[in-house]
C-alpha cells in the first residue's frame, strides 16, 4: 500500500494551515487592541489623578 498524496489531501492540509495562521493573526490583533485600550485607560486615570493633585 503506497501513501498517495492526492489533491484533496493537499487542499485539506493547506486549509488547516491557513486556518491556524488566521487564528494566530486574529489573536495577535486582539491582544494588541486590548493593550491599546488598557494603555489609554491607564493614561486617562493617571491624568485625572495628576489634575486632582494640582
Amino acid at each position: 500500500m503506497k501513501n498517495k498524496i492526492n489533491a484533496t489531501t493537499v487542499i485539506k492540509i493547506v486549509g488547516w494551515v491557513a486556518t491556524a495562521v488566521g487564528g494566530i493573526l486574529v489573536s495577535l490583533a486582539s491582544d494588541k487592541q486590548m493593550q491599546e485600550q488598557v494603555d489609554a485607560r491607564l493614561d486617562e486615570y493617571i491624568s485625572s489623578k495628576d489634575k486632582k493633585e494640582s
Side-chain angles (χ1 to χ4, degrees), residues 1-45:
M1 220 162 102
K2 282 187 173 179
N3 287 337
K4 276 178 68 176
I5 298 178
N6 58 19
T8 306
T9 304
V10 171
I11 291 172
K12 285 181 184 179
I13 292 171
V14 169
W16 293 335
V17 170
T19 301
V21 169
I24 291 169
L25 291 176
V26 167
S27 178
L28 291 174
S30 177
D31 289 346
K32 183 176 180 180
Q33 182 181 14
M34 181 61 78
Q35 185 62 43
E36 288 173 356
Q37 289 175 353
V38 168
D39 288 345
R41 289 181 184 156
L42 184 60
D43 289 342
E44 183 180 317
Y45 176 77

Side-chain angles (χ1 to χ4, degrees), residues 39-52:
D39 288 345
R41 289 181 184 156
L42 184 60
D43 289 342
E44 183 180 317
Y45 176 77
I46 290 171
S47 296
S48 70
K49 287 294 184 182
D50 287 345
K51 287 179 184 176
K52 286 181 182 178

